[in-house]
DNA sequence: GAATTTCTTTGATTTGCATCAACATATCTG
DNA sequence: CAGATATGTTGATGCAAATCAAAGAAATTC
């Protein structure tokens, strides 16, 4: 890689589902043309409509995927390390359907699309890993669509909080992990309505102070949320859509 | 295949993006364990939550993908021949996220998941085709999410009609292709509201009589719909979500 | 640390959409 | 073909959620 990564970083990247099956030779082939870059917060990494040149890997920080139409904007997902994004556009060599921006100071690896294609053709294990990853992203997005079409905004919020709690190790209290206005957009609602929805969840034992969430009795909230693993995944922060 | 297909059918299946790159030997390997079946209308082929055993190929008729939660139901896509479905679940050997039912009398090929996996491992061309297909499905679904989150129901209807018109070869008049209540569900609205929305489009030169749609001047409607190829695909009938 | 900006909350109002109810039309069935 | 059933339309009403407006709380900036 053009700029060296730390051992811990390399290890983390290699341990991603997408790369863990690669032998060292193929992995370095993939990483040889790649370069790491540090970005400040609120930098637009990708603009929807542009054509895809790189597979992105988020190493640290956080990244928002969003989309615009006719003057409106919506959050599609908020990514945490370590995850890849824009895999589908890379594979199809197609235009990006989403834009991406850093939310915090972030460290990102850019792998040239040609290299991904080359290793894909060379290495059956890698091609299987790509398919598995894509299928996973596809399924996560189907879940997001079901979430939007079958649930009210209050139900979406309730389920999001339960997923986030699980992700945080089932602690009674945990951090929200993103600004409320982005959470609102992610859940398909306005910030004003999110604020009111949070109040509505008070009778279910939910208290949110700043970015700190406390759920007194999850089973109480589950009565409202009715989570199911056909909609709700433990990999929760991308409440509305995942990262292909 | 257990039940023989006609030459025209075989040809159509082979010409699918997913299979067109396979040599004859691999294709027959894939089809050896497969069987064709004819179903009457309104037969539930797949139930969400069940585990995936077969890749499905719709040869004739039409199939609705739908999902349920908490007593509610929504249409996720309506498929026309010739298309594959449930590819993502097949690849992951995971539980179906959607149910499927025939809408008309339909002819469907069922390819055992093991065989798909075997040929995938054997044939790099096939594995590339699977990835391309999956990436396409993923992207179509991202578009569906953007459609839902960024547009009002009237705008979704307007865009659907323009896409359907394009699919029908840009004729002034074409068939809707599915019941209005299903179209409504696909677009994320109620039948009552669809009915009213159609009336609202009258000033834009849209007339729908039964299942026959007439659009006097598409550019007029486009002024409202503002279609973009970052949301709207010509492969239109799955207005809300595609077929992985 | 004061000033500025951004984010969040609260209340009042409007709008979009769902629901309910009734009727009309189309489709199925014996 | 008649009766039954399902689908589609229309109007009245209610509710969920967006918008508008303003104030309070955080986070930034100088």
């Amino acid at each position: 890689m053009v700029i060296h990564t730390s051992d811990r970083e390399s290890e983390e990247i290699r341990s991603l589902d997408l790369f863990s099956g690669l032998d060292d030779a193929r992995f370095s082939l993939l990483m040889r043309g790649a370069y790491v870059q540090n970005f400040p917060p609120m930098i637009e990494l990708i603009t929807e409509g542009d054509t895809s040149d790189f597979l992105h890997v988020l190493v640290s920080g956080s990244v928002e995927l969003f989309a615009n139409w006719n003057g409106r904007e919506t959050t599609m997902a908020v990514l945490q390390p370590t995850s890849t994004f824009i895999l589908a556009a890379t594979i199809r060599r197609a235009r990006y359907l989403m834009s991406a921006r850093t939310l915090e100071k972030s460290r990102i690896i850019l792998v040239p699309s040609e290299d991904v294609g080359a290793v894909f053709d060379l290495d059956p294990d890698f091609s299987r890993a790509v398919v598995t990853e894509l299928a996973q992203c596809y399924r996560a997005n189907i879940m997001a669509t079901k979430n939007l079409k079958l649930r009210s905004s209050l139900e979406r919020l309730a389920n999001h909080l339960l997923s986030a709690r699980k992700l945080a190790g089932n602690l009674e209290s945990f951090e929200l992990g993103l600004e409320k206005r982005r959470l609102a957009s992610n859940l398909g609602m306005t910030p004003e309505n999110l604020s009111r929805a949070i109040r509505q969840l008070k009778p279910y034992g939910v208290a949110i102070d700043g970015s700190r969430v406390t759920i007194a009795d999850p089973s109480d909230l589950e009565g409202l949320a009715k989570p199911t693993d056909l909609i709700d995944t433990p990999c929760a922060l991308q409440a509305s859509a995942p990262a292909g």
Side-chain angles (χ1 to χ4, degrees), chain A:
Chain A
M1 258 184 294
V2 172
I3 300 172
H4 281 55
T5 56
S6 71
D7 284 354
R8 198 185 51 75
E9 261 179 26
S10 294
E11 217 170 284
E12 247 183 83
I13 298 161
R14 283 235 45 170
S15 73
L16 287 175
D17 285 345
L18 194 56
F19 303 127
S20 61
L22 284 168
D23 66 39
D24 289 340
R26 261 71 184 261
F27 183 69
S28 35
L29 177 60
L30 202 54
M31 289 299 153
R32 194 163 49 198
Y35 57 99
V36 188
Q37 219 169 329
N38 291 305
F39 296 96
M42 296 307 284
I43 295 296
E44 189 158 323
L45 302 165
I46 282 171
T47 304
E48 64 176 307
D50 287 358
T51 48
S52 159
D53 297 316
F54 296 98
L55 174 67
H56 290 60
V57 183
L58 174 64
V59 178
S60 71
S62 67
V63 166
E64 175 185 26
L65 301 183
F66 62 101
N68 291 92
W69 179 77
N70 197 27
R72 299 166 209 169
E73 177 172 322
T74 191
T75 299
M76 298 290 287
V78 175
L79 307 179
Q80 307 293 334
T82 311
S83 49
T84 65
F85 56 104
I86 314 293
L87 180 57
T90 298
I91 294 296
R92 298 223 53 148
R93 295 311 211 77
R95 303 210 284 156
Y96 296 124
L97 297 179
M98 299 183 275
S99 302
R101 68 165 73 95
T102 56
L103 293 179
E104 315 164 50
K105 196 163 159 304
S106 298
R107 197 166 163 76
I108 288 160
I109 301 175
L110 300 140
V111 186
S113 299
E114 305 98 70
D115 296 347
V116 176
V119 176
F120 182 94
D121 288 333
L122 217 70
D123 190 329
D125 290 333
F126 182 61
S127 61
R128 185 163 262 292
V130 168
V131 169
T132 303
E133 178 93 353
L134 263 180
Q136 170 60 24
C137 289
Y138 173 79
R139 287 170 62 83
N141 199 59
I142 291 289
M143 291 181 186
T145 303
K146 290 170 67 175
N147 195 35
L148 276 172
K149 291 187 79 176
L150 290 167
R151 287 174 173 162
S152 71
S153 60
L154 190 68
E155 289 164 342
R156 290 197 295 274
L157 172 61
N159 279 292
H160 174 81
L161 293 175
L162 286 170
S163 296
R165 182 180 186 278
K166 194 182 276 184
L167 192 71
N170 289 313
L171 297 171
E172 192 189 320
S173 176
F174 58 93
E175 288 297 314
L176 208 49
L178 76 172
E179 285 172 307
K180 283 181 186 163
R181 65 200 203 85
R182 285 182 220 284
L183 175 60
S185 180
N186 201 350
L187 293 174
M189 60 204 292
T190 57
E192 293 96 325
N193 247 326
L194 173 60
S195 207
R196 284 184 268 263
I198 289 170
R199 259 194 316 185
Q200 282 186 76
L201 290 182
K202 209 172 175 183
Y204 298 89
V206 175
I208 304 186
D209 178 46
S211 66
R212 183 129 215 104
V213 184
T214 308
I215 300 175
D217 177 14
S219 66
D220 196 357
L221 187 57
E222 275 167 11
L224 171 73
K226 296 183 178 63
T228 155
D229 55 8
L230 297 177
I231 302 183
D232 308 285
T233 45
C235 52
L237 266 177
Q238 43 278 45
S240 151

